[in-house]
Amino acid sequence: MRCHYHDLGLCHSCTLIDQPYAQQLAGKVDGVRGLLAAARKDLHDLQWLDPVSGPEAGFRNKAKMVVAGTVAEPTLGILDPVGRGVDLRDCPLYPPAVTAALQQVARFARDLRLLPYDVPKGRGELKHVLLTVSPRNELMLRFVLRSQRQLDRIREHLPVLEAGLPDLRVVSVNVQPEHKAVLEGPTEILLTQQESLLMEVNGIPLHLRPRSFFQTNTHVAAALYRRAAAWADEVAPTEVLDLYCGVGGFALHLAGAGRDVVGVEVSEEAVAAAQRSARELGLPERGPGSARFGAGDATAWGGPSDDDGGVSDPLLQSGSGRLVVVNPPRRGLGEELSGRLENSSATDLIYSSCNAKTMARDLARMPSWLPVEAQLLDMFPHTGHYEVAMRLERR
């Protein structure tokens, strides 16, 4: 992939872009295998499936753009070392629908005279523009503002933006008042009647709300979910516990086939989205073939109350045929959850990670789990990032 921003020295985000893509992919596989093998000797014999890749350009479903420049000429992109805006609206990582929408959004900001936030001076209003595109090319747009001062003007003129972007479905304003490197704040104000963006993956309707997490590469995410479903079919569990379930990507792909699926996620917004998807799929909340979701900290989640009024740990409940799926953030599972999984009654484990270093650390804490198969999925071409999925079974 060629990128004129990189060639001109304006953007250095794609650190591997000068390497042929096949070389990038081989280097990631070798690096991840080495990191994991160093953590445990039994990982030297781990069976690695062929890596998964996708398009080299136009694959990102989400643009996170810093707004800078002036009222008359706003930039949407990144900041240079001294805090000036570098416009990246034509970044080749984005599909055409995102590129076209960013042009409209920049024009909208200019026409409304939304003052870009000046990081060095700590003043201004419009901090970020966050834009997500679905497989149907429908859009969700979030304005990140310093305050609510421009909220009414954005709401008043929103029909103009919607006329220019007929595929725009969800628009919100996020308020981030603090002067620090934080992408978004705690307050989200929805400006449209529709509150979620439909991200259909492998025929599964996933509903993405403004503050929910979703993999940035829809094509590779679909392959990741298919891999997990294939592994689940191999081990044929009767129960599935999905920790860090998000909007239900793994859980809903593993539902059915008589399995009782439970998903846990700290975000109540994501849980509500997963529950909606389960209803649309006709999945009951209890019994064989069911799927239910609850809000809670996956690291310390205790499960439903037992008959004595206490709190039971679902990882310690008896029963063969229990599969646990974990997809933690970059920090990994941590000592507490790794210990609970090590001492659990689960028979099978699928671990999906975006950070092989923390994955290796977690695996070292779980010696009773035998790695069986693994696969690298290149969610982030031209960078050193990736997703790695692994199936483990109880020794």
Side-chain angles (χ1 to χ4, degrees), residues 259-324:
R259 301 168 189 153
D260 182 9
V261 177
V262 176
V264 180
E265 166 62 42
V266 69
S267 168
E268 294 184 0
E269 185 175 85
V271 167
Q275 291 170 334
R276 176 181 175 181
S277 295
R279 290 194 299 269
E280 291 178 356
L281 291 169
L283 300 173
E285 292 187 4
R286 292 289 189 276
S290 65
R292 62 188 184 277
F293 299 88
D297 182 356
T299 301
W301 186 69
S305 298
D306 59 27
D307 294 338
D308 297 327
V311 175
S312 58
D313 188 335
L315 293 176
L316 298 180
Q317 293 170 2
S318 62
S320 60
R322 176 172 292 123
L323 167 66
V324 178

Side-chain angles (χ1 to χ4, degrees), residues 341-364:
L341 286 167
E342 172 66 12
N343 298 311
S344 73
S345 62
T347 54
D348 296 278
L349 175 65
I350 294 175
Y351 190 154
S352 180
S353 172
C354 61
N355 187 346
K357 292 182 180 179
T358 56
M359 186 184 203
R361 183 189 64 201
D362 292 335
L363 294 177

Side-chain angles (χ1 to χ4, degrees), residues 94-367:
Y94 301 126
V98 169
T99 301
L102 290 174
Q103 302 291 351
Q104 294 277 356
V105 172
R107 187 178 302 115
F108 180 78
R110 182 198 65 197
D111 292 346
L112 262 64
R113 300 191 62 78
L114 300 177
L115 181 62
Y117 188 72
D118 188 318
V119 172
K121 296 180 180 178
R123 66 189 185 192
E125 280 297 315
L126 182 57
K127 290 187 168 185
H128 300 97
V129 164
L130 311 179
L131 185 68
T132 305
V133 64
S134 78
R136 298 180 179 182
N137 282 334
E138 295 178 334
L139 299 164
M140 176 166 64
L141 172 64
R142 302 171 65 201
F143 294 98
V144 181
L145 303 179
R146 184 184 185 187
S147 72
Q148 297 188 32
R149 294 173 185 169
Q150 300 298 325
L151 175 61
D152 290 340
R153 294 189 69 232
I154 293 175
R155 181 184 281 117
E156 178 186 355
H157 291 87
L158 186 57
V160 176
L161 184 60
E162 292 174 320
L165 292 173
D167 292 322
L168 188 59
R169 297 290 179 267
V170 183
V171 181
S172 67
V173 164
N174 180 274
V175 182
Q176 208 298 80
E178 299 184 71
H179 181 68
K180 59 183 182 181
V182 176
L183 185 65
E184 59 188 52
T187 302
E188 195 83 24
I189 303 167
L190 196 65
L191 302 184
T192 52
Q193 184 174 2
Q194 186 169 324
E195 61 183 17
S196 64
L197 185 68
L198 176 61
M199 305 288 287
E200 187 169 329
V201 181
N202 298 321
I204 303 294
L206 302 176
H207 294 279
L208 184 62
R209 296 191 179 192
R211 294 176 62 83
S212 299
F213 168 79
F214 194 82
Q215 296 283 5
T216 191
N217 189 323
T218 307
H219 177 86
V220 178
L224 173 63
Y225 295 142
R226 291 195 301 269
R227 168 48 49 200
W231 279 338
D233 289 342
E234 288 181 30
V235 303
T238 56
E239 300 176 8
V240 176
L241 176 61
D242 182 5
L243 302 177
Y244 308 98
C245 72
V247 297
F250 282 106
L252 294 170
H253 277 80
L254 272 57
R259 301 168 189 153
D260 182 9
V261 177
V262 176
V264 180
E265 166 62 42
V266 69
S267 168
E268 294 184 0
E269 185 175 85
V271 167
Q275 291 170 334
R276 176 181 175 181
S277 295
R279 290 194 299 269
E280 291 178 356
L281 291 169
L283 300 173
E285 292 187 4
R286 292 289 189 276
S290 65
R292 62 188 184 277
F293 299 88
D297 182 356
T299 301
W301 186 69
S305 298
D306 59 27
D307 294 338
D308 297 327
V311 175
S312 58
D313 188 335
L315 293 176
L316 298 180
Q317 293 170 2
S318 62
S320 60
R322 176 172 292 123
L323 167 66
V324 178
V325 180
V326 291
N327 183 27
R330 289 190 62 81
R331 65 177 180 272
L333 300 176
E335 184 174 0
E336 180 181 354
L337 184 51
S338 296
R340 290 174 61 209
L341 286 167
E342 172 66 12
N343 298 311
S344 73
S345 62
T347 54
D348 296 278
L349 175 65
I350 294 175
Y351 190 154
S352 180
S353 172
C354 61
N355 187 346
K357 292 182 180 179
T358 56
M359 186 184 203
R361 183 189 64 201
D362 292 335
L363 294 177
R365 293 168 172 157
M366 300 187 294

